[in-house]
Amino acid sequence: MGTIHVVQGSVVDMPTDAIVNAANSSLLGGGGVDGAIHSAAGPELYKECLTLGGCETGQAKITKGYRLKAKYVIHTVGPVYCGREKDALLLASCYKNSMDLALEHDLKSISFCCISTGVYGYPLRDASEIALSTVKAWLNSHPEAGIDVYFCCFSPREYAVYTELMEKAGFSS
Ligand code: AR6
């Protein structure tokens, strides 16, 4: 059975099998964590992304990690928050599809940033509840996968929200 951990820091530096990028539908880079991942991975990442044909909101695609410590980058496109019911479903899909890709590639560890909570404006607490509940449900339904999941909180506020939610759910971080 996989485990869930909450850590403070940048997902860019995580030495897990994969890190998850909060990308946009072009998959060709941008600001925020997307820009930081592309800078650290180097131009080969951009070249591979050019071959992918973009990605729809809620979906995920995988590339190599190039100069990153992580072997792979899973690029997912979170919803731009508009307060629609669909936003929550799309955000949950990002986490589920990223976990599915990790399983397909036989990965054993994955680090997520807080998808959609920066430029895309998703309220942090709501997004964190979706992230944790989706990943917990996924791990429960795939006990054989043995994937360790790290939620990387870039800001102290993200870390405070995640640790509080983990404590409430009876998990230790
Ligand atoms: N290093 C590590 N983590 C970061 C960094 C950084 N430099 N900057 C932000 N985060 P965001 P989104 C964390 O805004 O809301 C891009 O332009 C941040 O604290 O990067 O999904 C894409 O190309 C939060 O936990 O992504 C899209 O156009 C997480 O990264 C758009 O932004 C996500 O914040 C996606 O917006």
Side-chain angles (χ1 to χ4, degrees):
M1 180 75 179
T3 55
I4 295 183
H5 307 268
V6 175
V7 296
Q8 185 158 10
S10 170
V11 76
V12 179
D13 302 322
M14 290 298 285
T16 40
D17 288 345
I19 61 170
V20 179
N21 182 17
N24 60 58
S25 56
S26 76
L27 294 188
L28 298 180
V33 73
D34 194 9
I37 288 172
H38 274 270
S39 307
E44 297 91 343
L45 177 61
Y46 179 78
K47 278 187 203 146
E48 186 175 355
C49 284
L50 278 172
T51 69
L52 299 178
C55 182
E56 287 181 19
T57 305
Q59 301 299 308
K61 294 197 176 175
I62 192 164
T63 64
K64 286 185 258 177
Y66 299 99
R67 299 178 201 174
L68 296 168
K69 289 179 193 149
K71 290 196 236 10
Y72 295 93
V73 180
I74 294 174
H75 306 262
T76 190
V77 183
V80 177
Y81 184 74
C82 304
R84 305 165 298 182
E85 237 173 78
K86 208 177 158 198
D87 296 340
L89 297 175
L90 288 169
L91 186 61
S93 294
C94 289
Y95 286 95
K96 183 191 166 296
N97 288 325
S98 297
M99 294 301 296
D100 285 345
L101 267 183
L103 179 62
E104 274 169 35
H105 289 261
D106 201 25
L107 308 187
K108 293 300 170 200
S109 56
I110 183 170
S111 300
F112 285 97
C113 63
C114 307
I115 300 159
S116 277
T117 64
V119 175
Y120 281 178
Y122 211 112
L124 178 61
R125 178 168 285 271
D126 293 350
S128 310
E129 281 173 0
I130 290 167
L132 278 170
S133 62
T134 305
V135 168
K136 272 184 217 162
W138 191 98
L139 290 175
N140 284 335
S141 59
H142 298 82
E144 77 296 346
I147 301 176
D148 295 324
V149 180
Y150 294 82
F151 287 103
C152 276
C153 301
F154 191 54
S155 72
R157 187 167 159 255
E158 290 170 0
Y159 186 71
V161 168
Y162 266 88
T163 46
E164 187 199 323
L165 291 175
M166 289 282 282
E167 273 161 27
K168 266 194 194 153
F171 276 82
S172 62
S173 54

